[in-house]
Amino acid sequence: MRDQFSVIFVFLIIALASCSAAAKQSKKTIGSTVSLFMASITPPIIGNLIIIRSGTVVPATIGYYIYFLGMDFMIWSLLKFAVEYCGYKWSTNAGRVIMEILLAVDILQYGFDPFLHQAFTTEPVPVDGFNYYRLVPRLGQAYHRAVVYGVLAVVIIMLVIKTVRSSRIYSERYSVILGTLILAAVWQTFYIFSRTPVDRSMIGFGIFGLLIFYFSLYYRPMRLLDRMLANIASEMPEALFLFDSGGKCIWGNEPAKELTGIDENTFDKMDTILGGKFGDCLGKPDNWFSGFVLGEDDEAQYFVIENHHVNDDKGRFAGSFLTVRDNTGEQRKLRREMYNATHDRLTGLHTREYLYQRISELVQNSPDVRRYIVVLNIRNFKVVNDIFTNEFGDKVLIYLAERIRATLSDNSLYGRIAGDIFAACVPVDEFDMDEMERRFSDYTVGDGSVEYNILVHLGVYEITEQNIDVSVMIDRASLALSTIKDDYHKHVAVYDEALRRNMLWGQHISNQLTDALTDGQIRPYLQAIVDKSGRIVGAEALARWIHPSEGFLSPGLFIPVFEKNGMIVEVDRFMWKSACEILSRWQKEGVDLFISVNISPKDFYFMDVAAEIRGLVKEYGVDPSRLRVEITETVMMTDIESKMKILDELREAGFIVEMDDFGSGYSSLNMLKDMPVDVLKIDMKFLSRTEDTVRAQTIVRNIINLSDDLGISALTEGVETESQYKVLSGMGCRMFQGYYFSKPIPVGDFEELTRSGITPA
Ligand code: C2E
Ligand code: MG
Ligand code: MG
């Protein structure tokens, strides 16, 4: 008996020591704790070994001390292990401190025991002629046991909680350790009550230690892996088919069954069904994947099929598996997104980027075909939106898109490149200029209650250079388009050499503007404004450029260039300043005349017009009522509210605001009644275009009457003949401007004229 136990104990000591050493080498974080715990089981076993081998009281008592102190050490490291194994943190664990104090007290009492014998004594028990020294517990021993059981209970509770809370597969890690620990604890209890001299339960703790070594460092939950894989396979959204090495289907998951409409018992029919659907693609001993489309157009279904072969340990083909993923939803979404990205939502035509890309590809792929780039722009589209509704505006756009679709063939590309701007790339032989102008330029859109005559302008560029950017081609067509004037009956303009030269000329004079302003090349000319009796009451300041090499430039040449590139701001600022200089001089000389200056629509973009003008009159000490400002109707076409505010501001400051060129563009009598203007300048140029003079006169008379009613005074400009003057006077017009009285002339000449008085031409 004694020898057998000795052998078992020695074996356990060696086993635990080697496992402890091995655990120390482990790369797992818990390795060192496991190592410590296994090392800690050896002292109680060594203690027991000494007890059963000693035969005399002193060594047996030493053995007991080793045993009990070893037990304290073991119980402490068991706790440390359990805390870490269950995934808690040892260093910050609150309960740990209490346990350690209790254990420290226990260790302390064994320190006193040799003198006080308050923990235990021993008594000899002869067994087979050998004296075992059996433990006779005292009060201190009860404390020791309470501490040991207390810690054991805490550890057991921790493991129970973990076992219960973990998923079934994982709980094995905890339940096995828990079971063994309970067993060892029960065994220990049995030893205490049976009062046998040998603590056999140490065998239990030894085995417990070895199990911990295995479970915490080497155990891999194979069942877990198997089950997880099985779960993944049956729950994956793709259809999964498994084939044996002979190519026979042996299993399929739910989606696989759904896809092929088979059940468990007919897996072997799978080959034929899949083959019928996707062709001969099954059980092949190689890895591949491929996309399949079944059906057509909107009905099309998209599948991605992947085949993987599986080899055994020796690299021999063992079988294969195939996944079939129904990609239809994704594909449809992708196609929808593609469509949305490349097609305009409102009209369904290509978007700008996509159109440019397609045109570029087309031009590269067939460079021999002669093609036009055509840009189409709806005139005054802004007004359509403002006067009617946005829905009506949309209708107009859709209508034009439809017309483009119906007119151009499949050989053309077209799209909507901005708000009301469309572009197309059309083979030259399919684009008859006159025919296209007729088809596109003029049509009526109505929605039952309103009808509106839509005017479309077309800019055309023939692609002569294949390698330039599509955006440059579009720019060229747009440039042609921008040359179409509202007052011409021409709706198509072609980009040509003259236009190109014109553009270059524009750039050329733009570069010279700043110098021209400082050198006095640009100067104001004054054109007289007279009252009913022919007396000069004021003048309009009009810019002239006396160019050193180009000669005399009329504003009709350079103003449009600067209006386009925004440099008009510099010209206007200069002109306003010049007008103020003249007015301030006149004021001093007692000349009682006003000067009208022009304000370009672009000025409102680039500066605070009201502040600028107010600042100027202040600087020159000019009475604001002497500086009149002329704005055109186009100013009021965008951002009406803020423009109205600016005009109000100017009027409040004492300036007289005039509406220039009334009758030239989109004149709305309706708009007039809300317009904060004092004077209406009716341009005879536009009216004299009309053949029917009676009609023209009727219009003018009505405008004059209306403006009278609204408290706005009418001024007719462009008066060239005496008869015009007479007729207009008769209609009640009180102010006139025109060649009949005087052309725009240099300031000095004008001052001369005011002194001599006008003798009409
Ligand atoms: P506008 O403001 O309507 O100026 C009147 C234009 O009509 C002037 O042309 C003037 O010479 C012309 N005109 C005057 N009486 C008659 C007439 O009896 N018959 C005809 N056929 N024409 C007459 P101009 O000076 O060539 O200016 C053209 C336009 O250029 C101006 O039209 C104005 O819009 C613009 N402009 C001129 N100077 C400036 C300026 O300093 N700033 C801005 N923003 N625009 C200016
Ligand atoms: Mg004017
Ligand atoms: Mg005018």
Side-chain angles (χ1 to χ4, degrees):
M1 256 286 266
R2 205 161 66 98
D3 293 337
Q4 283 150 357
F5 275 118
S6 303
V7 169
I8 293 172
F9 284 161
V10 168
F11 168 76
L12 278 176
I13 289 166
I14 294 169
L16 287 166
S18 353
C19 288
S20 172
K24 187 118 197 108
Q25 306 295 320
S26 163
K27 287 190 178 66
K28 291 203 175 179
T29 4
I30 204 163
S32 60
T33 308
V34 172
S35 165
L36 180 75
F37 176 59
M38 293 211 290
S40 78
I41 308 174
T42 50
I45 300 180
I46 292 171
N48 259 289
L49 188 62
I50 295 172
I51 296 165
I52 58 172
R53 300 287 335 162
S54 56
T56 50
V57 66
V58 175
T61 309
I62 292 172
Y64 274 114
Y65 282 129
I66 294 174
Y67 172 42
F68 293 136
L69 291 171
M71 230 19 203
D72 280 344
F73 176 42
M74 183 190 88
I75 226 76
W76 175 82
S77 59
L78 170 66
L79 182 68
K80 179 175 189 310
F81 164 77
V83 165
E84 287 178 15
Y85 190 63
C86 291
Y88 306 112
K89 238 181 140 74
W90 174 246
S91 52
T92 55
N93 198 292
R96 166 193 168 190
V97 183
I98 303 170
M99 293 292 168
E100 283 179 348
I101 292 171
L102 294 174
L103 284 169
V105 171
D106 198 38
I107 292 166
L108 209 64
Q109 73 144 332
Y110 282 116
F112 289 118
D113 191 67
F115 317 106
L116 304 177
H117 302 296
Q118 87 290 353
F120 68 92
T121 56
T122 52
E123 61 181 13
V125 185
V127 179
D128 297 338
F130 183 83
N131 268 347
Y132 283 101
Y133 280 82
R134 186 167 67 183
L135 182 84
V136 180
R138 296 259 173 93
L139 195 65
Q141 194 59 20
Y143 174 78
H144 169 77
R145 283 174 188 163
V147 171
V148 169
Y149 276 97
V151 176
L152 277 180
V154 169
V155 172
I156 286 170
I157 289 166
M158 253 172 6
L159 287 170
V160 167
I161 291 172
K162 267 312 212 193
T163 308
V164 174
R165 288 213 181 140
S166 314
S167 75
R168 282 241 320 270
I169 305 159
Y170 269 112
S171 67
E172 191 174 83
R173 285 181 87 216
Y174 304 103
S175 60
V176 173
I177 292 181
L178 174 67
T180 326
L181 182 62
I182 292 174
L183 207 73
V186 170
W187 206 343
Q188 164 96 142
T189 316
F190 174 75
Y191 152 73
I192 291 168
F193 285 105
S194 69
R195 304 196 64 226
T196 48
V198 181
D199 182 359
R200 294 191 181 98
S201 71
M202 282 330 291
I203 300 172
F205 280 109
I207 293 169
F208 175 67
L210 295 177
L211 277 176
I212 279 179
F213 175 71
Y214 170 70
F215 271 96
S216 54
L217 299 180
Y218 294 101
Y219 170 74
R220 275 222 350 257
M222 283 312 286
R223 267 179 36 218
L224 166 75
L225 270 181
D226 286 351
R227 210 167 306 165
M228 271 186 168
L229 288 175
N231 271 352
I232 291 167
S234 45
E235 277 167 27
M236 61 198 254
E238 290 96 343
L240 173 72
F241 303 92
L242 305 186
F243 297 89
D244 66 13
S245 57
K248 269 264 150 268
C249 180
I250 49 169
W251 186 78
N253 62 1
E254 281 308 316
K257 290 179 200 162
E258 250 167 62
L259 182 73
T260 49
I262 53 151
D263 59 41
E264 236 104 323
N265 307 321
T266 51
F267 277 142
D268 50 350
K269 297 215 177 74
M270 193 79 95
D271 318 28
T272 11
I273 297 170
L274 274 180
K277 251 179 154 36
F278 302 112
D280 181 24
C281 61
L282 312 175
K284 298 250 176 70
D286 52 356
N287 292 325
W288 51 265
F289 85 94
S290 163
F292 284 82
V293 186
L294 304 184
E296 277 177 16
D297 299 331
D298 286 353
E299 301 291 301
Q301 281 185 297
Y302 301 86
F303 295 96
V304 177
I305 303 192
E306 241 176 280
N307 188 66
H308 295 268
H309 72 270
V310 181
N311 286 345
D312 66 11
D313 299 346
K314 300 207 173 66
R316 283 176 311 215
F317 177 59
S320 63
F321 63 93
L322 186 87
T323 57
V324 182
R325 187 153 60 89
D326 186 345
N327 216 12
T328 311
E330 272 167 57
Q331 278 291 333
R332 288 202 182 142
K333 196 168 149 228
L334 212 71
R335 273 161 195 260
R336 217 175 312 121
E337 277 168 9
M338 264 288 278
Y339 184 87
N340 288 344
T342 53
H343 289 76
D344 172 42
R345 265 227 317 266
L346 181 70
T347 59
L349 298 190
H350 290 345
T351 54
R352 170 204 169 105
E353 286 72 23
Y354 189 53
L355 179 69
Y356 284 18
Q357 182 198 328
R358 292 281 306 270
I359 292 177
S360 161
E361 285 162 8
L362 185 72
V363 172
Q364 299 302 325
N365 293 340
S366 50
D368 300 333
V369 183
R370 283 178 62 204
R371 292 190 176 85
Y372 285 134
I373 293 287
V374 184
V375 170
L376 302 96
N377 179 24
I378 302 176
R379 286 303 305 150
N380 295 337
F381 182 67
K382 179 83 191 137
V383 176
V384 178
N385 265 337
D386 280 353
I387 298 187
F388 306 110
T389 54
N390 279 350
E391 286 80 57
F392 189 79
D394 285 353
K395 215 170 181 164
V396 170
L397 295 173
I398 293 169
Y399 196 92
L400 179 56
E402 283 309 320
R403 198 163 260 225
I404 294 173
R405 245 193 221 110
T407 308
L408 302 182
S409 79
D410 285 349
N411 299 326
S412 302
L413 290 168
Y414 40 83
R416 179 176 169 213
I417 58 173
D420 61 336
I421 304 173
F422 295 75
C425 176
V426 191
V428 167
D429 50 20
E430 288 184 21
F431 193 90
D432 180 87
M433 219 53 96
D434 296 336
E435 163 77 7
M436 290 295 161
E437 175 168 15
R438 209 172 42 70
R439 279 198 67 85
F440 283 119
S441 62
D442 210 346
Y443 57 93
T444 309
V445 177
D447 72 347
S449 52
V450 272
E451 281 208 338
Y452 187 75
N453 198 46
I454 303 293
L455 200 72
V456 175
H457 286 176
L458 286 79
V460 179
Y461 162 69
E462 183 181 343
I463 304 174
T464 45
E465 295 167 67
Q466 318 270 355
N467 296 326
I468 54 169
D469 245 32
V470 175
S471 61
V472 176
M473 301 178 188
I474 297 274
D475 282 350
R476 290 185 176 174
S478 305
L479 186 72
L481 187 141
S482 70
T483 62
I484 305 174
K485 300 263 168 34
D486 283 334
D487 51 333
Y488 290 132
H489 291 289
K490 172 186 147 192
H491 306 118
V492 182
V494 182
Y495 178 90
D496 56 13
E497 195 41 41
L499 200 63
R500 205 176 82 90
R501 269 206 309 272
N502 216 336
M503 189 186 71
L504 291 176
W505 184 80
Q507 283 168 358
H508 173 69
I509 58 159
S510 296
N511 292 339
Q512 299 172 335
L513 177 65
T514 314
D515 287 344
L517 287 170
T518 43
D519 295 354
Q521 292 173 31
I522 292 180
R523 52 186 90 143
Y525 268 39
L526 296 178
Q527 184 177 29
I529 293 170
V530 302
D531 65 7
K532 223 169 164 169
S533 62
R535 196 172 54 91
I536 298 176
V537 287
E540 176 173 3
L542 294 156
R544 296 290 180 267
W545 188 339
I546 323 293
H547 195 280
S549 58
E550 311 252 348
F552 185 90
L553 292 180
S554 94
L557 287 172
F558 61 87
I559 296 279
V561 174
F562 298 142
E563 275 197 317
K564 211 170 271 174
N565 64 21
M567 291 171 98
I568 187 68
V569 177
E570 290 177 44
V571 179
D572 279 353
R573 203 182 268 131
F574 169 81
M575 288 293 289
W576 303 342
K577 203 172 143 162
S578 308
C580 286
E581 271 168 9
I582 300 167
L583 282 171
S584 122
R585 186 155 51 73
W586 283 355
Q587 245 167 244
K588 278 180 211 131
E589 294 167 5
V591 180
D592 183 19
L593 297 172
F594 65 82
I595 295 182
S596 296
V597 290
N598 289 287
I599 301 183
S600 153
K602 274 281 171 75
D603 292 333
F604 292 92
Y605 280 112
F606 296 109
M607 60 174 148
D608 182 344
V609 172
E612 189 85 24
I613 293 181
R614 274 204 318 257
L616 277 174
V617 290
K618 204 165 158 211
E619 185 185 338
Y620 287 90
V622 171
D623 177 1
S625 65
R626 292 186 183 248
L627 187 71
R628 300 190 169 192
V629 291
E630 295 189 6
I631 54 147
T632 55
E633 292 158 298
T634 30
V635 167
M636 302 310 284
M637 280 189 184
T638 52
D639 217 355
I640 301 181
E641 304 264 298
S642 80
K643 303 285 173 52
M644 293 247 200
K645 245 182 76 195
I646 297 173
L647 298 189
D648 278 334
E649 239 177 274
L650 285 168
R651 294 177 76 205
E652 269 161 35
F655 296 95
I656 287 175
V657 177
E658 305 186 335
M659 172 65 71
D660 200 0
D661 300 345
F662 192 78
S664 69
Y666 181 83
S667 308
S668 159
L669 293 176
N670 204 25
M671 200 148 88
L672 197 59
K673 76 176 186 323
D674 312 312
M675 203 71 83
V677 297
D678 305 284
V679 177
L680 206 60
K681 290 187 84 169
I682 307 161
D683 201 325
M684 294 310 292
K685 262 204 306 272
F686 306 115
L687 289 163
S688 56
R689 263 215 328 259
T690 332
E691 308 285 286
D692 187 346
T693 43
V694 180
R695 198 173 141 86
Q697 284 184 11
T698 316
I699 295 174
V700 178
R701 183 181 304 117
N702 277 311
I703 296 176
I704 292 171
N705 288 345
L706 180 77
S707 61
D708 258 354
D709 289 348
L710 294 170
I712 301 172
S713 35
L715 184 161
T716 33
E717 59 175 331
V719 179
E720 291 184 340
T721 61
E722 186 179 10
S723 74
Q724 278 178 339
Y725 170 48
K726 291 264 158 65
V727 171
L728 290 164
S729 293
M731 288 176 185
C733 187
R734 282 184 286 272
M735 277 200 287
F736 310 86
Q737 180 185 346
Y739 293 170
Y740 174 64
F741 307 100
S742 164
K743 291 200 165 187
I745 45 177
V747 180
D749 294 0
F750 176 81
E751 286 169 346
E752 187 61 39
L753 188 70
T754 55
R755 283 191 281 275
S756 63
I758 286 176
T759 25

